[in-house]
């Protein structure tokens, strides 16, 4: 059974600081996704990572994938308050759009 | 393009009742997946519909059933509601294209409260 674990579960950061969220998954998988969710809202797609060594960046967020280690990271550079949200990674093992989500990381950025 | 739409936005039911949630996929998308997100947790895959048939199913009881119509819209039905069915129900759509390399598109969700 595919399991997806994220850490930390909760992250409180000061504006301007850097930090990394980790996503581990238990079995070989085709795709890895990162989503953002604001309170009471739906999921906003951030990144889709398809192959080993893939790196994607958008603004202050950068995601990477190491399929050998079954690990993805979401790196936050110089955090700002607008980044406060819950971040989920999700894995699609067989490229069938059946996503298995991690537990989520709740990020709070304070002045 | 309206994107993925869901109705209703909120719903309150009592234990034992039945509920139907609706989803219209993004234009051009023919595959619809449903997820349940309990408070403070990640979404869990319920099932997926393609060509009006259930193609994949997650670990949910038979009380959860669905349907897809010829226009690709979909319904999620839950019978004999339990308090634990209270959650945000998310619909996601995607096209059934070989080599599709983008994410599914999620709708705004239906928040169900069972009293």
């Amino acid at each position: 059974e595919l399991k997806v674990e994220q850490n930390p579960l909760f992250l409180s950061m000061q504006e301007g600081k850097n930090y990394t969220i980790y996503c581990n998954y238990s079995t070989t998988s085709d795709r890895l996704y990162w989503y953002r969710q604001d309170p009471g809202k739906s999921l906003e797609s951030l990144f889709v990572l398809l192959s080993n060594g893939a790196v994607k960046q958008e603004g202050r967020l950068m995601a990477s994938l190491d399929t050998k280690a079954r690990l993805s990271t979401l790196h936050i550079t110089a955090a700002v308050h607008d980044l406060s949200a819950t971040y989920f990674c999700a894995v699609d093992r067989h490229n069938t759009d059946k996503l298995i989500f991690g537990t989520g990381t709740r990020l709070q950025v304070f002045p | 393009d309206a994107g993925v739409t869901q109705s209703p936005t909120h719903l309150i039911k009592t234990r034992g009742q039945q509920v139907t949630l609706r989803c219209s996929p993004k234009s051009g998308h023919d595959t619809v997946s449903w997820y349940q997100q309990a408070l403070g947790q990640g979404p869990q895959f319920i099932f997926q519909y393609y060509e009006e048939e259930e193609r994949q199913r997650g670990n949910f009881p038979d009380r959860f059933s669905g349907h897809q119509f010829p226009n690709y819209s979909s319904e999620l039905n839950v019978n004999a509601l339990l308090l634990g069915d209270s959650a945000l129900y998310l619909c996601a759509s995607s096209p059934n294209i070989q080599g599709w390399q983008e994410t599914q598109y999620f709708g705004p969700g239906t928040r169900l409260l069972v009293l």
Side-chain angles (χ1 to χ4, degrees):
Chain A
E1 180 187 350
L2 173 59
K3 292 185 178 179
V4 182
E5 295 182 347
Q6 285 181 238
N7 68 84
L9 298 182
F10 181 77
L11 178 56
S12 182
M13 333 177 29
Q14 192 173 17
E15 280 189 332
K17 298 293 187 182
N18 304 332
Y19 209 83
T20 300
I21 299 171
Y22 297 89
C23 173
N24 289 91
Y25 53 98
S26 59
T27 58
T28 302
S29 298
D30 283 338
R31 301 182 177 190
L32 189 134
Y33 301 84
W34 284 97
Y35 290 92
R36 167 182 172 146
Q37 188 175 41
D38 292 296
K41 303 293 185 181
S42 187
L43 298 170
E44 174 190 353
S45 175
L46 297 174
F47 302 108
V48 181
L49 303 171
L50 302 176
S51 60
N52 187 44
V55 177
K56 291 193 175 180
Q57 183 165 4
E58 181 72 34
R60 301 175 186 275
L61 301 178
M62 183 175 69
S64 66
L65 179 62
D66 181 344
T67 57
K68 294 179 181 178
R70 298 176 189 159
L71 170 69
S72 180
T73 61
L74 181 66
H75 186 73
I76 303 159
T77 302
V80 293
H81 179 72
D82 285 351
L83 289 178
S84 298
T86 298
Y87 293 85
F88 290 97
C89 65
V91 175
D92 184 350
R93 187 174 179 192
H94 297 302
N95 192 20
T96 60
D97 285 338
K98 176 183 177 180
L99 299 187
I100 307 299
F101 282 81
T103 48
T105 296
R106 185 179 170 192
L107 171 66
Q108 285 189 336
V109 181
F110 59 93
Chain B
D1 184 0
V4 180
T5 60
Q6 292 185 242
S7 64
T9 56
H10 295 82
L11 205 50
I12 300 175
K13 293 286 188 178
T14 56
R15 281 177 297 175
Q17 285 189 311
Q18 178 264 343
V19 68
T20 297
L21 310 181
R22 296 175 176 82
C23 171
S24 291
K26 183 178 170 63
S27 178
H29 289 189
D30 53 10
T31 303
V32 174
S33 301
W34 287 91
Y35 294 82
Q36 179 196 65
Q37 186 178 22
L39 195 62
Q41 298 183 20
Q44 288 195 305
F45 179 83
I46 302 175
F47 44 53
Q48 182 183 88
Y49 276 84
Y50 171 68
E51 290 190 339
E52 303 180 47
E53 292 191 356
E54 183 182 289
R55 184 161 68 174
Q56 301 185 81
R57 190 178 182 92
N59 190 25
F60 279 80
D62 292 344
R63 298 187 298 110
F64 290 77
S65 63
H67 189 77
Q68 186 178 35
F69 299 94
N71 67 352
Y72 309 124
S73 67
S74 177
E75 290 182 347
L76 163 64
N77 301 292
V78 187
N79 294 322
L81 284 167
L82 304 174
L83 295 179
D85 295 332
S86 296
L88 179 68
Y89 288 84
L90 295 166
C91 169
S93 75
S94 57
N96 189 55
I97 298 174
Q98 187 74 18
W100 172 255
Q101 294 189 357
E102 296 186 27
T103 185
Q104 297 174 66
Y105 289 82
F106 281 84
T110 293
R111 188 163 296 282
L112 172 65
L113 177 61
V114 182
L115 301 176

